[in-house]
Amino acid sequence: MSLLKIKELKTYFFIGNQEIKAVDGISFNVERNETLAIVGESGSGKSVTALSIMRLINPPGEIVEGEIEFNNINLLKLSEKQMCMVRGDRIAMIYQEPMMSLNPSISVGDQIKESLIIHKSVPKNLAKQRALELMNLVSIPEAEKRYKELSSKFSGGMRQRIMIAMAIACNPDLLIADEPTTALDVTIQSEIMELLRSMKNKLNMSMLLITHDLGVVAENADRVIVMYCGKILEEASVKDLFRNPMHPYTIGLMKCIPKMDSAVEKLYSIPGYIPHPSQFPQGCRFNDRCENVMEICREKMPELIEIEEGHKVRCWQCQQ
C-alpha cells in the first residue's frame, strides 16, 4: 500500500483577476521506502507540490481541489492543529535555502531539540543529548562545542546538515527534499546527497526528491516524474526514463546533459522559455517549444497515458 497518494491536486494562486494554475490536476503515489524524484525547470510546479503536501500554501495561494492521502488519512481534512502534529513528525521537509529556514536567533542545537520536545515529549535533558547524537550522525564536527552556535556561524553545507538533522529527528515516514543541494559546490552536493541516501536507508524512510538536476535523479531515485507548467508530462522508473525517454520535453532535458566524450562545442538548449503561468498555451503546454508539434497539440490537452508498464506519458505523438 502506498505511503502517499496525491489525487487530482490543484493549487492555484489568485492575484487580482488572474488565476495562476501552479499545480493543475496532478496525481501520483510515493511507495514505502522508495525515492521518487520530481524534475523540471523552475516554474514547473515542483516546490508548490511539496508545499501543498505540507499544507504550507498561504494566500493568495489555495489548494482548490484534490486529495493528499498520507497513511490512509486525507491531510486536507485535518485541522491546522492536527496537521501541525503531522508536519515535522511523520512528514519532514528540507527546504531550498537553509539560511531562510533556520531561526537566526536560536542556537542550532536548540532548534533540533525543539522538534523532539514538541512531537515526542522528550524531556529537555534527553532531547539535548539526542540533538547532539543527531549532529554527530550528520557529521557536524565538534558537535558539543557547536551546539550553542547560531546558524550564521555555519557554512552552507553545514547548515544543510543541520536541516537534515532537524528533519530526521522524529524518524519521519516521508522526507521531502526540495532542491537540497542548491547553491552548494559540487563536492558538497555529493556529500549531502550521500548523507540523505544513508539516512533514508538507516531510517527506512520514503523520500520525495525535488530537483532540476538529472544527474542527482539518476544516482538517487527509484522513480521519476517530469513536470512542466503544473502538469505531469512523464512518469517512469529511473531506468526506463533514461533508457527510453518519450516526451519531447524529457528528451530535451536529456539532450541538455553535457557529455564527457562529446566533440560538440555548443551545449543543447530547449528552444524558448517556460511561459508565465498566466499565459499557458492552449492544448499541450509544451507545444510552443516542441520541435515536433502537430495541430492537435495546439488544440487539445493530451491525457497522461500508460504507454508501457509503469511508464506514463502525456503526449499526442506517443498516442498515435
Side-chain angles (χ1 to χ4, degrees):
M1 186 177 293
S2 300
L3 176 67
L4 179 72
K5 295 180 182 179
I6 306 295
K7 300 176 183 177
E8 290 298 319
L9 178 66
K10 294 182 180 181
T11 302
Y12 295 173
F13 290 79
F14 300 92
I15 303 173
N17 60 358
Q18 291 185 331
E19 184 181 67
I20 308 297
K21 298 179 178 181
V23 172
D24 193 19
I26 66 170
S27 300
F28 64 88
N29 295 346
V30 179
E31 307 302 326
R32 295 180 186 276
N33 302 322
E34 85 160 344
T35 297
L36 174 68
I38 301 180
V39 67
E41 295 171 276
S42 296
S44 295
K46 307 183 304 296
S47 293
V48 175
T49 299
L51 292 172
S52 298
I53 294 168
M54 296 294 285
R55 289 254 314 260
L56 291 174
I57 299 294
N58 296 317
E62 181 184 342
I63 298 173
V64 298
E65 194 175 309
E67 294 182 12
I68 302 172
E69 193 175 284
F70 176 73
N71 268 334
N72 298 319
I73 297 171
N74 188 352
L75 299 183
L76 299 182
K77 300 293 186 182
L78 298 182
S79 66
E80 179 57 25
K81 183 177 181 181
Q82 290 171 321
M83 188 62 203
C84 282
M85 300 313 296
V86 174
R87 191 189 298 131
D89 183 19
R90 305 324 316 146
I91 306 176
M93 185 166 173
I94 301 168
Y95 299 88
Q96 286 189 36
E97 178 45 67
M99 196 59 186
M100 299 296 290
S101 306
L102 294 167
N103 190 320
S105 61
I106 300 175
S107 75
V108 295
D110 283 345
Q111 290 185 66
I112 299 170
K113 180 177 74 173
E114 185 178 37
S115 63
L116 292 164
I117 294 171
I118 292 173
H119 292 293
K120 299 299 182 184
S121 301
V122 178
K124 288 185 178 181
N125 61 329
L126 294 179
K128 180 179 180 179
Q129 182 181 332
R130 176 59 180 156
L132 285 168
E133 290 173 1
L134 287 162
M135 289 177 71
N136 283 311
L137 188 63
V138 298
S139 301
I140 301 293
E142 301 180 290
E144 186 123 17
K145 177 182 175 182
R146 308 205 70 182
Y147 179 95
K148 283 294 182 184
E149 290 186 357
L150 302 178
S151 57
S152 58
K153 299 291 185 180
F154 289 78
S155 67
M158 287 294 115
R159 288 180 201 138
Q160 200 62 290
R161 290 174 185 272
I162 293 295
M163 286 295 299
I164 293 170
M166 290 173 63
I168 65 173
C170 296
N171 294 348
D173 299 312
L174 175 65
L175 177 65
I176 302 174
D178 186 5
E179 300 279 10
T181 59
T182 295
L184 301 178
D185 66 48
V186 176
T187 303
I188 303 301
Q189 285 181 23
S190 179
E191 290 177 1
I192 293 299
M193 290 313 305
E194 175 58 37
L195 177 59
L196 284 173
R197 282 196 302 271
S198 174
M199 294 299 100
K200 174 192 173 293
N201 293 331
K202 281 183 181 179
L203 301 175
N204 295 317
M205 295 185 297
S206 297
M207 183 159 67
L208 183 61
L209 175 62
I210 295 170
T211 182
H212 62 272
D213 190 331
L214 284 169
V216 169
V217 171
E219 292 181 359
N220 297 279
D222 301 304
R223 289 189 302 122
V224 58
I225 284 170
V226 180
M227 281 191 73
Y228 183 80
C229 291
K231 290 285 190 183
I232 294 174
L233 299 189
E234 190 160 1
E235 178 181 345
S237 69
V238 166
K239 181 179 178 180
D240 285 346
L241 192 84
F242 280 83
R243 175 183 58 84
N244 183 29
M246 293 185 181
H247 197 283
Y249 179 58
T250 310
I251 293 169
L253 292 176
M254 296 289 186
K255 288 167 71 175
C256 291
I257 302 173
K259 295 177 174 58
M260 295 293 290
D261 58 350
S262 175
V264 178
E265 293 183 4
K266 188 176 180 180
L267 295 175
Y268 176 84
S269 63
I270 300 172
Y273 302 93
I274 190 166
H276 189 273
S278 65
Q279 299 173 337
F280 290 151
Q282 183 179 340
C284 173
R285 290 184 179 169
F286 188 62
N287 73 54
D288 58 346
R289 302 177 69 189
C290 183
E291 297 175 350
N292 304 310
V293 63
M294 302 181 295
E295 192 58 35
I296 192 173
C297 305
R298 303 186 194 280
E299 297 172 353
K300 189 177 178 182
M301 174 77 71
E303 295 295 322
L304 186 66
I305 301 294
E306 189 169 40
I307 305 297
E308 298 176 354
E309 186 178 357
H311 197 149
K312 301 176 183 178
V313 187
R314 188 188 299 276
C315 179
W316 287 116
Q317 294 179 58
C318 299
Q319 298 173 27
Q320 297 297 309

